[in-house]
Amino acid sequence: MDSDGFTTGGDAYPDGPAADDSFQIRSVAVLGLGLIGGSVARDLATRGVRVLAWDRDEHAVRDAEVRGIARPLAWNDPHPADPPIDVVLLALPVLAEKELLPRVADRFPRARLITDAGSTQRSVVALAERLGIGARFVGSHPLAGDHRSGWAASRTGLFAHARVFLSPAPSAGPDAMGLAEALWTALGGRTEPVDAAEHDRRVAWTSHLPQLVSSALGGSLAGEGIARAELGPGGRDTTRLAGSSPALWTDVALDNADEIVPALRAAEDRLRALRLAIAAGGAERVRGLLDEARRWHHQAP
Amino acid sequence: MDSDGFTTGGDAYPDGPAADDSFQIRSVAVLGLGLIGGSVARDLATRGVRVLAWDRDEHAVRDAEVRGIARPLAWNDPHPADPPIDVVLLALPVLAEKELLPRVADRFPRARLITDAGSTQRSVVALAERLGIGARFVGSHPLAGDHRSGWAASRTGLFAHARVFLSPAPSAGPDAMGLAEALWTALGGRTEPVDAAEHDRRVAWTSHLPQLVSSALGGSLAGEGIARAELGPGGRDTTRLAGSSPALWTDVALDNADEIVPALRAAEDRLRALRLAIAAGGAERVRGLLDEARRWHHQAP
């Protein structure tokens, strides 16, 4: 990463990649203290960053305050926190994020980076441009999801070695992009820039499709009255994602519908092909379908 | 388990459930040295049982001999091994098992138990009755599969705490059933008797459906040119089973086709319902489908 434009942040990050004085994030507003936002807040607090937090669940905010992780964000304070917030992180389901973004644009006019932790990027990046904050907006998508969710599931170290996709708004400047890279790198992530549209196409297949297939399988078993405890280790792995947050994934699915629908259709087609081949006793066809999946599974990364 | 009919097997099983002198399996023929058969052979050898082994892969048999685990089974020996074989285990894909079973019936007329390690039971149990060996036949299905396969993947302790379904042939006697329970219990498994037809119906949902859904998902991603390395932890879990043996699962799918086809159709229906709801922007419907799967995932066992 180019460290141009970075000033020293002192020695608050003794063991991170930022220990070379190139890190300058001193204060972060975290909106949403769920698994992702809560874990970011915990990591940043450990590193000495001043964290202001908001969540619609006041208990989470109070707990974060009691633990010395964050102070409550005073939305209605006419004199915003001093020193000003460097980075605003919206760690909310995508529809809630889009509802909140206009207010964030008003409230943090001097924040140098506004970012998120979303599973989809196109619609958010487009909204940021429309709100006139594109120059300071970089969408983030850390691949650190979990079927557990909420503040109680958040923890330090969640982003160690995690891939983090960064989708800058078209007008985003190098300062915002550099801060986004610095933020996630300091948390242990490995950032990868990717255009928002390409991001959404790719994650429809790599993330959203497995999630929805796992949920469809879980729903099928629920409909048949088969308990998850009856499954072997393989079946439990295949249905692990079915435990994910329905609210979160409903937002993702609707926000990325145009990319997800063809992916779901492809999975249906494969299931149907397997079913028809099995019903017809077509051993070669069944083996061919299974073999294609196995070769895919075994291919070198 | 009723221990009637059991004689002492000496002290060859110092730490197993059989240390109460109720175990009497002294010699076992293992046909098929894959993950399951190889692991059974290793465990039995550790416990001092005499193991004769056959596999179409002569290298596996030689390797088992070199390691002192098993001696090669001499199929064509006119004077079969002395002392006679107590138990014959067919650990082969189900179609290969059915091809071999007539020869096994001829070759081991005095074996007190003929069993297997199959994912399906109805057709095998029916064949055993037709061959006149039903009184000595108990189908076994240890839930200890793995996406790895073959002799190289086999290991001691594979069956520790594993559920093992036992489906006796209709005419199977208590001696055969007792030996099957003793065999798997000595290997650390927890046996559960289940009628063969009920077994096949249940595993179509608990085991075969997750396998085929995982393969269909892997095939979809292969078709789109998405590498497995691009997936997050959740996606990798969901596609883990796609790495399973195509030959083994082709046999299973065709052997249990009548139970598997409706299960596959149910999964297709769920995927289609999700796709249509997402395409229509139906948030409530999408959330309802995801929520049913999540409640199923979270239900107490």
Side-chain angles (χ1 to χ4, degrees):
Chain A
M1 197 187 81
D2 191 335
S3 67
D4 276 9
F6 276 50
T7 63
T8 176
D11 57 359
Y13 309 90
D15 57 355
D20 61 356
D21 287 351
S22 68
F23 197 76
Q24 65 170 330
I25 299 173
R26 278 155 300 195
S27 55
V28 174
V30 176
L31 310 182
L33 282 180
L35 172 69
I36 300 293
S39 297
V40 169
R42 290 176 193 269
D43 273 349
L44 290 176
T46 300
R47 291 171 162 269
V49 175
R50 171 195 176 111
V51 179
L52 296 186
W54 171 84
D55 195 283
R56 65 176 183 179
D57 173 10
E58 292 178 10
H59 169 76
V61 177
R62 253 198 318 276
D63 194 55
E65 188 176 20
V66 167
R67 293 171 189 270
I69 294 165
R71 293 192 328 171
L73 174 70
W75 270 109
N76 301 317
D77 187 344
H79 304 289
D82 184 25
I85 296 296
D86 297 316
V87 174
V88 181
L89 171 73
L90 293 103
L92 301 163
V94 61
L95 297 189
E97 175 185 352
K98 288 193 284 191
E99 276 177 27
L100 207 60
L101 202 53
R103 192 169 171 187
V104 166
D106 286 345
R107 174 63 170 76
F108 301 102
R110 289 186 297 174
R112 292 165 50 205
L113 168 67
I114 300 172
T115 187
D116 66 354
S119 296
T120 53
Q121 294 297 346
R122 275 176 306 168
S123 69
V124 175
V125 159
L127 176 61
E129 289 289 351
R130 287 199 300 279
L131 292 171
I133 56 172
R136 300 181 285 134
F137 191 90
V138 177
S140 303
H141 178 195
L143 296 191
D146 198 295
H147 63 288
R148 288 161 295 186
S149 55
W151 168 250
S154 70
R155 53 192 182 271
T156 56
L158 182 66
F159 307 102
H161 312 295
R163 295 171 73 185
V164 183
F165 293 122
L166 296 182
S167 299
S171 67
D175 179 58
M177 190 63 177
L179 277 174
E181 289 179 340
L183 172 69
W184 293 107
T185 303
L187 269 48
R190 295 178 288 115
T191 60
E192 297 177 35
V194 57
D195 171 74
E198 169 62 16
H199 170 273
D200 285 10
R201 192 198 70 78
R202 200 194 291 183
V203 294
W205 292 88
T206 61
S207 167
H208 308 172
L209 180 62
Q211 172 61 53
L212 295 169
V213 165
S214 187
S215 291
L217 175 58
S220 309
L221 294 165
E224 185 68 12
I226 306 281
R228 190 157 182 259
E230 291 186 55
L231 275 52
R236 285 199 297 275
D237 273 1
T238 315
T239 56
R240 186 170 71 77
L241 287 177
S244 303
S245 161
L248 183 87
W249 280 98
T250 299
D251 276 18
V252 170
L254 297 185
D255 196 59
N256 203 27
D258 61 332
E259 296 288 0
I260 288 174
V261 163
L264 281 172
R265 196 178 279 119
E268 282 169 62
D269 288 347
R270 292 275 166 169
L271 272 181
R272 185 181 310 107
L274 269 172
R275 173 171 58 81
L276 295 176
I278 290 168
E284 267 190 57
R285 174 75 171 138
V286 174
R287 192 176 301 117
L289 288 164
L290 298 180
D291 200 47
E292 182 181 3
R294 191 199 205 193
R295 276 183 281 113
W296 171 81
H297 182 284
H298 282 57
Q299 80 194 351
Chain B
M1 195 190 80
D2 190 336
S3 67
D4 276 8
F6 277 50
T7 64
T8 176
D11 58 359
Y13 310 89
D15 57 354
D20 61 356
D21 288 351
S22 68
F23 197 76
Q24 64 169 330
I25 299 174
R26 278 155 300 194
S27 55
V28 174
V30 176
L31 310 182
L33 282 180
L35 172 68
I36 301 293
S39 298
V40 169
R42 289 176 194 269
D43 273 349
L44 290 176
T46 301
R47 290 171 164 269
V49 175
R50 170 196 177 110
V51 180
L52 296 186
W54 171 85
D55 195 284
R56 65 176 181 179
D57 173 11
E58 291 177 11
H59 169 76
V61 177
R62 252 197 318 276
D63 193 54
E65 188 176 20
V66 166
R67 292 170 189 271
I69 293 166
R71 293 193 327 171
L73 174 70
W75 271 109
N76 300 315
D77 187 342
H79 303 291
D82 185 23
I85 297 295
D86 296 317
V87 174
V88 181
L89 172 73
L90 293 102
L92 301 162
V94 62
L95 296 190
E97 175 185 353
K98 289 193 283 192
E99 276 176 27
L100 208 60
L101 202 53
R103 193 170 170 186
V104 165
D106 285 345
R107 174 64 170 75
F108 300 102
R110 286 186 298 174
R112 291 166 50 204
L113 168 67
I114 300 172
T115 188
D116 66 354
S119 295
T120 53
Q121 294 295 345
R122 277 176 304 169
S123 69
V124 175
V125 159
L127 176 60
E129 289 290 350
R130 286 199 300 280
L131 292 171
I133 56 172
R136 300 181 285 136
F137 191 89
V138 177
S140 303
H141 179 195
L143 296 191
D146 197 295
H147 62 288
R148 289 160 293 185
S149 56
W151 168 249
S154 69
R155 53 194 182 269
T156 55
L158 181 67
F159 308 102
H161 312 297
R163 295 171 75 186
V164 182
F165 293 122
L166 296 182
S167 299
S171 67
D175 180 58
M177 191 63 176
L179 278 174
E181 290 178 340
L183 172 70
W184 293 107
T185 303
L187 269 48
R190 295 177 287 111
T191 60
E192 297 178 34
V194 57
D195 171 75
E198 170 61 17
H199 169 274
D200 285 10
R201 192 198 71 78
R202 198 193 293 182
V203 294
W205 292 88
T206 61
S207 166
H208 307 171
L209 180 62
Q211 171 62 52
L212 295 169
V213 164
S214 187
S215 292
L217 174 58
S220 309
L221 293 165
E224 186 67 11
I226 306 280
R228 190 158 182 256
E230 291 185 55
L231 275 51
R236 285 198 296 275
D237 272 0
T238 315
T239 56
R240 186 171 70 78
L241 286 179
S244 302
S245 160
L248 183 87
W249 280 98
T250 299
D251 276 17
V252 169
L254 296 186
D255 197 58
N256 203 26
D258 60 332
E259 296 289 359
I260 288 175
V261 163
L264 282 171
R265 194 179 281 120
E268 281 170 62
D269 289 347
R270 293 273 166 170
L271 273 181
R272 184 181 312 107
L274 269 171
R275 173 169 60 81
L276 294 176
I278 290 168
E284 266 190 59
R285 173 75 171 138
V286 174
R287 193 177 299 115
L289 288 165
L290 298 180
D291 200 47
E292 183 181 4
R294 192 199 206 194
R295 277 183 281 113
W296 170 83
H297 183 285
H298 283 55
Q299 79 194 352

